[in-house]
Amino acid sequence: MATTFSKNIRSTLASSFINSLIYSCTIPFLVIYLAGIFNAQLTGLLVMTNVVVSFLAGIVGGYLADNFQRKKILYIFQSLYGGSLLLIALRFLGLLSADGWLILGYLVCGISFNLYSPAYDAVLMDCTTVENRKQAYQWQYWTFNLSMALGFSLGGFLFQHFLFQLFLVAGIAQLAMALLFRSQLDYTNATAQKQHNNRLKDLFSNYSIAARDTRWLFLILGMALFNTAEFSLKTYTAVRLSKEFETLTLFTVPIDGVRMLSLLQVLNTLLVVGFTFLVSRFTEKRSEKATILYGLVIYVVSYGLIAVMNNIYILIPLMILATIGELASSPNINARKVDLVPEDKQASYLAFSSLSYQGADLLAAFALTLSGYISAGFIAGYIIILGLIGTSLTVSSLYGRKNKVM
């Protein structure tokens, strides 16, 4: 049970839950708002810019987490994240007139979030032991998905009429959480010795080893390609549903495109939370390789079709199928990829692996830009083709020959 964890673990899990909740009820809906005031091409370029700067921030954040006190890093950049949410709220209130303030707030949110995220991971890893680490990460996975469900629900139902209040409360909550976490966390970390006097050289040396491992590189590329399918739900599919989905009434509740998106996200999250262990039990006696392969194919094709559908009675079954594919493949991939990591290079490899998610974000944002020139059917094809290529690369990397380092 979570009550058996140390105070530091409980504080880290609680803070992580609040941060994920704040993110999920604000940033995806800010992208939808930006798509309403800018065209699809410009919004897509803006999202891609945010992905690039966020990835670079994550690389810097990983270096900072190894070379400076993580508690201080968490407080500084969590506070900056809260301040950027308040900046966006002031624009929605009308105190700031230019839309450029929204763009600035959006970019600062992405940068600050990725600057402190590596420190979170490192603190949790440091505070756990061999005996409770698996349980701690299970709770982190559970609370993350629960926060996503709650956040998308809040954001979807407050987006249309309470946007200022949503970002104001989120900003205040983020600042309060930064202060509270700082006071509750009793933690000091050892810092790494500099390998070079030049900080920039020192940063790049941390990641150079993983970057030369071709098998690891193909795995990261494959994961980026198949994750594009799900990540497109937050960008291209979100914008398309907000514009094309015809409002209907479900149990006396009006469901527009934004609420349909929230419904899909909540359904996905609740299925993950409720059926993770059931699906795992069903697949554990089957071929691991086949489970990953078929699970990824179902996952990719389902999300690709979601990108083009507008019927709630088709969208919901497709989301159920996509989630089943995710539950069948994701735990096995995460367990198997650890075998590819040299024991003395874990930090470098795992830090480098974040590129798969940033790459997926970038490819999903590119789909939004493409939507200004091609139809939804071609976008669905783009998502499915990339996903199937990624599936092939992932399976061949996980079950291919031993690592080859360039």
Side-chain angles (χ1 to χ4, degrees), residues 52-91:
V52 172
V53 297
S54 294
F55 170 68
L56 295 176
I59 293 295
V60 174
Y63 176 77
L64 294 176
D66 281 337
N67 291 274
F68 298 93
Q69 287 302 314
R70 292 161 188 160
K71 183 175 178 179
K72 188 174 183 180
I73 292 169
L74 285 165
Y75 177 69
I76 291 172
F77 294 117
Q78 281 185 329
S79 299
L80 179 61
Y81 184 58
S84 61
L85 291 171
L86 292 178
L87 177 68
I88 295 169
L90 291 177
R91 169 62 187 88

Side-chain angles (χ1 to χ4, degrees), residues 250-307:
L250 187 64
F251 304 116
T252 73
V253 178
I255 304 294
D256 58 13
V258 176
R259 288 183 175 178
M260 185 68 242
L261 172 68
S262 295
L263 182 61
L264 292 175
Q265 293 277 15
V266 169
L267 176 62
N268 169 259
T269 304
L270 292 178
L271 288 171
V272 169
V273 170
F275 292 94
T276 297
F277 300 107
L278 180 63
V279 174
S280 176
R281 193 177 302 116
F282 178 76
T283 59
E284 64 184 358
K285 295 183 178 180
R286 289 163 174 77
S287 165
E288 184 182 80
K289 181 178 180 180
T291 298
I292 291 176
L293 176 61
Y294 296 132
L296 284 179
V297 170
I298 293 171
Y299 169 87
V300 165
V301 173
S302 297
Y303 271 114
L305 294 176
I306 287 173

